[in-house]
Amino acid sequence: MAAPGFQRWKVDKPWLELSCALGEGPFYEKETNSVRLVDIKKKQVLTVSAADHGDGSSLKTIQLDTCPTVTVDIEGVDPRDRILLGVKHGVAVLDRQTGTCTMLAPFNDGGSNERLRSNDGAADPHGKLWLGAMTDFQYGEPQPEGFLARFDSSKAKEEVLADLCIPNGIGWSPDNKTMYFAHSKSRELFAFDYSPETGAVSNKRSWYRHDGPGEPDGFRVDVDGNVWLAIWGESTVLKIHPEGKVIGSIALPTRHITCVQFVGTELVITSAADADGGDDTSNKYGGALFKVDVGIAGLEPFKFRL
């Protein structure tokens, strides 16, 4: 039974029918009032105006020859020119004017591990990039061979967590003293103590464990410290109180919900194609972009210090 004050939203139709194979990593770009996202399987970086009326006329696509998994702004760099990407073999810089990617920091200095690709990530308050890696699609079910690493301006990789299956969303509390990290296969969000002074993490603990059929995916944190968590396979986004209690939910018309992004008080929601058992509506709207006004704004993302 829902607790008193439990909030519910329902979204019946997409904002934009983008037909993504695996839409992920939504990011609000203030400089252009646009939302950018990636389609990991189609190897595309997509941008749409936040003011698009739903016809998709604002859509711009950059086709890459490597899979982008997440985008991050670079401190002091106009995002209309260059942004940071998580890609197949590590971290790259995308020149948006030419569409070319330049490798910045590979996962492995001694050569590429073809079994792995990057997944979700984010810059932290110290300007370092946290990026997860997992088993790539063609190698079957994700194995415990992935990791969570962070990269700094020296381009050095520091592996923080190992033996992961699907490292996913990462974010920080409003006071920057708690770091959250989603591990999909264990259906958990972990919390860490995060030092605003040094960037050190400690005291890993299970903060939220999902008991439904789906798996935690990407998330964002709002200005009150609530975590808005996409649930893959369950047509749902959850609103989770800083104490780890679910206090709201958004019902969506397709199963594979991947991530969220605040644009003002609206929550933009990405999804993936559903061709493996969903109903007709889920199949139709899988890969679309959704949005709903949830009455609260999100925290500003941090930028990578190159």
Side-chain angles (χ1 to χ4, degrees):
M1 180 179 293
F6 192 92
Q7 295 177 284
R8 295 186 186 276
W9 296 265
K10 186 178 181 182
V11 180
D12 293 318
K13 293 184 178 180
W15 168 36
L16 293 166
E17 294 190 44
L18 298 182
S19 300
C20 291
L22 180 50
E24 266 284 9
F27 188 100
Y28 178 57
E29 191 173 286
K30 289 197 299 183
E31 291 82 355
T32 58
N33 189 35
S34 62
V35 176
R36 64 181 192 240
L37 63 148
V38 298
D39 188 329
I40 298 176
K41 288 188 173 180
K42 291 184 179 179
K43 301 180 180 179
Q44 295 173 338
V45 176
L46 311 174
T47 307
V48 294
S49 169
D52 195 294
H53 294 297
D55 60 3
S57 59
S58 67
L59 176 64
K60 297 179 181 178
T61 302
I62 298 176
Q63 183 67 53
L64 303 177
D65 59 7
T66 184
C67 62
T69 64
V70 68
T71 74
V72 174
D73 279 352
I74 302 170
E75 190 172 275
V77 176
D78 190 327
R80 287 167 286 203
D81 295 327
R82 292 184 297 154
I83 56 175
L84 201 70
L85 294 182
V87 294
K88 164 69 176 176
H89 293 126
V91 184
V93 174
L94 172 65
D95 185 321
R96 298 176 80 183
Q97 302 303 314
T98 64
T100 57
C101 263
T102 303
M103 202 66 188
L104 181 70
F107 284 139
N108 297 292
D109 294 333
S112 301
N113 180 351
E114 290 301 321
R115 286 189 56 84
L116 298 180
R117 66 163 176 87
S118 67
N119 201 39
D120 209 347
D124 72 9
H126 284 257
K128 296 182 179 182
L129 177 71
W130 291 72
L131 185 64
M134 61 175 286
T135 309
D136 207 349
F137 303 110
Q138 64 266 36
Y139 297 102
E141 284 295 309
Q143 301 300 310
E145 59 186 333
F147 56 81
L148 177 66
R150 60 182 166 190
F151 298 82
D152 60 20
S153 58
S154 71
K155 306 176 187 177
K157 182 190 87 173
E158 177 189 1
E159 193 167 303
V160 180
L161 296 175
D163 304 322
L164 303 176
C165 284
I166 307 180
N168 230 309
I170 191 162
W172 286 263
S173 60
D175 62 5
N176 295 335
K177 292 183 178 179
T178 302
M179 184 180 86
Y180 301 105
F181 165 66
H183 187 234
S184 297
K185 279 300 178 184
S186 66
R187 291 181 164 82
E188 287 177 282
L189 260 67
F190 294 98
F192 298 77
D193 292 342
Y194 181 88
S195 169
E197 293 75 29
T198 67
V201 291
S202 60
N203 189 26
K204 177 187 175 186
R205 66 262 187 202
S206 181
W207 177 77
Y208 170 74
R209 183 184 292 273
H210 188 63
D211 60 4
E215 298 179 353
D217 206 312
F219 66 85
R220 297 290 184 266
V221 182
D222 69 28
V223 293
D224 286 345
N226 302 300
V227 172
W228 296 76
L229 174 66
I231 303 295
W232 173 274
E234 209 170 313
S235 308
T236 301
V237 173
L238 298 179
K239 179 183 181 182
I240 308 173
H241 188 273
E243 295 178 353
K245 177 182 178 181
V246 177
I247 58 172
S249 67
I250 304 170
L252 293 126
T254 192
R255 290 193 307 155
H256 297 324
I257 306 304
T258 57
C259 198
V260 301
Q261 173 61 49
F262 285 96
V263 179
T265 61
E266 288 188 317
L267 199 66
V268 173
I269 304 165
T270 50
S271 67
D274 181 9
D276 58 357
D279 59 26
D280 289 345
T281 301
S282 185
N283 294 343
K284 178 181 179 181
Y285 292 144
L289 200 59
F290 303 87
K291 67 177 178 179
V292 58
D293 196 321
V294 294
I296 192 168
L299 296 175
E300 292 285 328
F302 300 106
K303 298 183 179 184
F304 180 71
R305 294 175 188 165
L306 189 58

